[in-house]
Amino acid sequence: KNEFFDDFRLPVKIFICEDDPVIPQEDFDGLSENEYFQILRLKHGGHCGFIDIAPPGCFYHNIIAQIIE
């Protein structure tokens, strides 16, 4: 339920992927975002994958670096 996230006072961002075989994206559809809670919906990444082919690495590191700068 969304009430769990309503009282957050620190920024929380959740990365989800359409191709996650473990947690379907639809599980997040009922959640509402606010200034402290955001869902980043990605096309690919699987379940904890988020792999960049070239150069090799995990692209979420770059996204997190952009967020905290």
Side-chain angles (χ1 to χ4, degrees), residues 3-43:
E3 294 85 28
F4 178 81
F5 303 103
D6 288 343
D7 293 329
F8 281 16
R9 295 298 171 251
L10 292 173
V12 173
K13 296 190 186 294
I14 296 177
F15 293 80
I16 64 170
C17 296
E18 290 179 15
D19 64 350
D20 188 331
V22 179
I23 303 172
Q25 188 173 355
E26 294 79 28
D27 286 0
F28 296 90
D29 288 346
L31 299 177
S32 299
E33 297 180 45
N34 60 46
E35 64 179 304
Y36 296 105
F37 176 67
Q38 294 180 335
I39 301 171
L40 302 173
R41 299 172 190 275
L42 307 168
K43 188 102 176 135

Side-chain angles (χ1 to χ4, degrees), residues 15 40 42 48-52 55-69:
F15 293 80
L40 302 173
L42 307 168
C48 299
F50 307 107
I51 304 292
D52 259 343
C58 294
F59 69 83
Y60 68 85
H61 292 165
N62 295 329
I63 295 172
I64 292 170
Q66 291 173 2
I67 291 167
I68 61 174
E69 286 182 344

